[in-house]
């Protein structure tokens, strides 16, 4: 049985583990990677024990970001999107772009 | 994760025992492994108070100095680095202060000096250090928000902290960090997070004797024996954003919070529990008829299997519980209820129940502590971290 249901915005990005994490009652961390989220995985496991949690998230949020800006660009981009792409190119929004929910806690990804 | 009793007799000697999850060095054994049976920690100074967090331990000596060990990757050990410590190590930054109270959270730590200063270190996400930012601190730093006001206790949870202040204006409880589940108690609505301490509402008229925080739960115990809880709801109940008095005809003297349950110790030495439908699971029979203010249902369950055993201390890990007993109320039961008998129940996967295995237990079981025949054991105090357990056992020569 899933130990808990946790929204992705309540998980913390861990740069060392390259995974979203949430505290496990054993003292370790439940973990799930972006790649797992991308393919629709919703179980985050703890490497130290048998417990796992169900991650609640919108799969579309994890669709390949590159395909949006590089491959499937429409000929006429909405202004907001142009600004977005420019900002991305300039690296101004580095960190924020990777994980919008990481802004929640004021901790960049 | 808190405890606040102070030891009176410094002539007593102590044994320190630990068991459960140990892969971060939190057991203080010098090894990185889980232990299923009580392990005796080699000679240390005697402690007046322990507090166990996610995977670290803070110990307060009778000399009012602080030792920490276990996981240190967020700076929670206060040693000025991000390194685990397998053995108890002094927090040198605090050596110039007499420390009176400590609390270990999931990955942060709080220390209160005798003169009422609050120091804090560890992970700063959610603003749970109360410093106005979200940065980690690797050494204890003073929480300047309280200025010269007298902080009496600190309670560190998973993503939030509570501070109890005493002064001319009565007792005041402050919350900081994540309020996503209502655990700050600072507003009628949920607050995402605050990085500076804010007053907990609804306790203004209450004389608060102690505060507790664990997981997304908060609790306060009043000097007249009432328990107030707020934060994540128990057993799937809605979250509570303001302190809610648990209605009971018992008077409580200690409260211990887990991640999904709360324990209350009555003046008579009985243990009652809120929640616990996760791993703290207990049989539902022998329910005590007590009424919860909001929902008008039985919420507080008396722990079964403890008839006529007087409980003198309780502790909760994330999903396990520990108690220590006093004298049996009936002479015939004395043989099985010596002073300082340790009983455990709940989740056992890491050996945190100390029963020699990894099975879960729905009722309290006796964890047998090795006895030294030359010693008379006087009293034990119990402390729990997320998946591990500590016992301080006082003794004198026979």
């Amino acid at each position: 049985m899933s130990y808990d249901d946790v929204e992705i915005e309540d998980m913390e990005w861990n740069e060392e583990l390259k995974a979203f994490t949430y505290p496990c009652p054993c003292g370790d961390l439940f973990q799930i990677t972006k790649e797992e989220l991308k393919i629709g995985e919703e179980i985050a496991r703890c490497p130290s024990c048998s417990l796992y949690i169900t991650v609640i998230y919108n799969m579309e949020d994890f669709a390949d970001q590159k395909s949006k800006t590089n491959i499937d660009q429409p000929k006429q981009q909405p202004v907001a999107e142009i600004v977005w792409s420019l900002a991305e190119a300039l690296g101004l929004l580095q960190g924020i772009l990777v994980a919008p929910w990481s802004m929640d806690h004021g901790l960049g990804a | 994760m808190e405890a606040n009793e102070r030891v009176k007799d410094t002539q007593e000697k102590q044994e320190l025992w630990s068991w459960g999850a140990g892969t971060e060095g939190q057991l203080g054994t010098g090894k990185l492994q889980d232990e299923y049976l009580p392990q005796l920690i080699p000679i240390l100074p005697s402690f007046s108070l322990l507090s166990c967090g996610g995977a670290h331990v803070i110990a307060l000596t009778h000399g009012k100095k602080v030792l920490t060990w276990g996981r240190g990757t967020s700076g929670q050990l206060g040693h000025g680095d991000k390194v685990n410590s397998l053995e108890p190590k002094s927090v040198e930054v605090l050596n110039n202060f007499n420390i009176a109270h400590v609390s270990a959270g999931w990955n942060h730590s709080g220390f209160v000096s005798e003169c009422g200063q609050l120091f804090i270190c560890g992970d700063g996400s959610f603003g749970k250090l109360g410093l106005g930012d979200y940065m980690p601190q690797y050494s204890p730093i003073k929480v300047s928000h309280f200025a010269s006001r007298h902080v009496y206790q600190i309670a560190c949870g998973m993503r939030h902290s509570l501070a109890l202040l005493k002064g001319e204006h009565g007792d005041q409880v402050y919350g900081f960090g994540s309020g996503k589940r209502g655990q700050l108690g600072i507003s009628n609505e949920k607050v995402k997070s605050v990085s500076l301490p804010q007053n907990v509402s609804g306790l203004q008229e209450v004389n608060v004797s102690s505060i507790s925080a664990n997981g997304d739960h908060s609790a306060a115990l009043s000097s007249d024996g009432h328990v107030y809880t707020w934060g994540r709801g128990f057993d799937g109940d809605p979250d509570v954003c303001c302190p809610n008095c648990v209605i009971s005809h018992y008077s409580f003297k200690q409260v211990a919070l887990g991640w999904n349950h709360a324990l209350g110790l009555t003046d008579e030495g009985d243990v009652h529990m809120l929640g616990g439908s996760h791993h703290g699971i207990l049989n539902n029979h022998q329910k005590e008829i007590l009424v919860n203010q909001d929902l008008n249902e039985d919420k507080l369950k008396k722990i079964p299997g403890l008839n006529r055993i007087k409980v003198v201390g309780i502790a909760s890990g994330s999903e396990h519980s520990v108690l220590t007993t006093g004298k049996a109320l009936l002479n015939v039961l004395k043989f099985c209820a010596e002073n300082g008998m340790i009983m455990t129940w709940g989740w056992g996967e890491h050996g945190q129940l100390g029963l020699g295995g990894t099975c879960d237990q729905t009722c309290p079981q006796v964890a047998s502590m090795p006895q030294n025949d030359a010693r008379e054991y006087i009293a034990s105090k119990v402390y729990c971290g997320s998946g591990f357990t500590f016992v301080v056992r006082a003794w004198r020569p026979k």
Side-chain angles (χ1 to χ4, degrees), chain B residues 122-363:
Chain B
D123 181 76
S125 53
F126 307 96
K128 63 180 180 274
L129 301 186
L131 300 169
D133 61 19
Y134 301 86
M135 302 303 292
Q137 296 292 339
Y138 304 121
S139 286
I141 181 171
K142 192 183 167 190
V143 178
S144 55
H145 182 82
F146 292 120
S148 58
R149 300 179 62 197
H150 193 105
V151 180
Y152 181 73
Q153 275 183 14
I154 176 73
C156 298
M158 186 201 287
R159 292 175 165 181
H160 74 296
S161 311
L162 301 174
L164 171 60
L165 276 69
K166 297 212 175 237
E168 305 162 7
H169 306 297
D171 301 343
Q172 286 186 307
V173 179
Y174 283 78
F176 41 99
S178 171
K180 190 97 194 282
R181 306 303 299 261
Q183 64 266 51
L184 295 182
I186 57 174
S187 158
N188 286 328
E189 288 165 16
K190 283 180 186 168
V191 179
K192 210 168 211 179
S193 68
V194 298
S195 61
L196 286 172
Q198 288 194 24
N199 210 335
V200 172
S201 51
L203 288 173
Q204 280 77 4
E205 304 300 313
V206 180
N207 196 343
V208 179
S209 60
S210 70
I211 50 172
S212 315
N214 196 8
D216 296 324
H217 297 296
S218 298
L221 182 65
S222 72
S223 56
D224 57 358
H226 288 106
V227 176
Y228 296 79
T229 62
W230 62 102
R232 186 183 175 128
F234 293 104
D235 279 344
D237 282 346
D239 298 344
V240 180
C241 293
C242 281
N244 179 36
C245 184
V246 179
I247 299 297
S248 163
H249 57 268
Y250 292 98
S251 172
F252 291 89
K253 60 179 179 183
Q254 196 190 344
V255 174
L257 296 174
W259 286 14
N260 288 289
H261 72 298
L263 299 178
L265 175 61
T266 69
D267 289 346
E268 292 78 27
D270 287 325
V271 182
H272 295 248
M273 185 168 79
L274 275 173
S277 59
H278 275 65
H279 282 89
I281 32 172
L282 280 152
N283 300 326
N284 255 2
H285 66 274
Q286 298 191 9
K287 250 189 192 176
E288 198 74 12
I289 310 298
L290 297 170
V291 180
N292 180 281
Q293 197 172 33
D294 279 347
L295 300 155
N296 224 19
E297 289 171 18
D298 318 353
K299 288 291 174 192
L300 218 45
K301 296 164 287 216
K302 189 170 172 178
I303 303 299
L306 290 175
N307 289 345
R308 298 185 191 86
I309 294 177
K310 188 177 165 68
V311 177
V312 296
I314 53 174
S316 285
S318 51
E319 295 292 346
H320 75 293
S321 302
V322 180
L323 60 81
T324 180
T325 65
K327 279 182 187 144
L329 297 182
L330 289 178
N331 281 340
V332 278
L333 287 171
K334 251 188 176 165
F335 71 94
C336 70
E338 300 159 47
N339 263 347
M341 182 173 71
I342 307 297
M343 299 178 89
T344 62
W345 73 100
W347 187 38
E349 185 171 344
H350 288 271
Q352 59 265 56
L353 303 185
L355 303 173
T358 58
C359 292
D360 297 350
Q361 298 292 337
T362 55
C363 283

Side-chain angles (χ1 to χ4, degrees), chain B residues 6-17:
Chain B
R6 300 168 197 217
V7 164
K8 354 86 208 174
D9 188 356
T10 46
Q11 295 301 304
E12 292 171 6
K13 291 189 161 67
Q14 287 181 351
E15 292 172 358
L16 183 67
W17 296 83

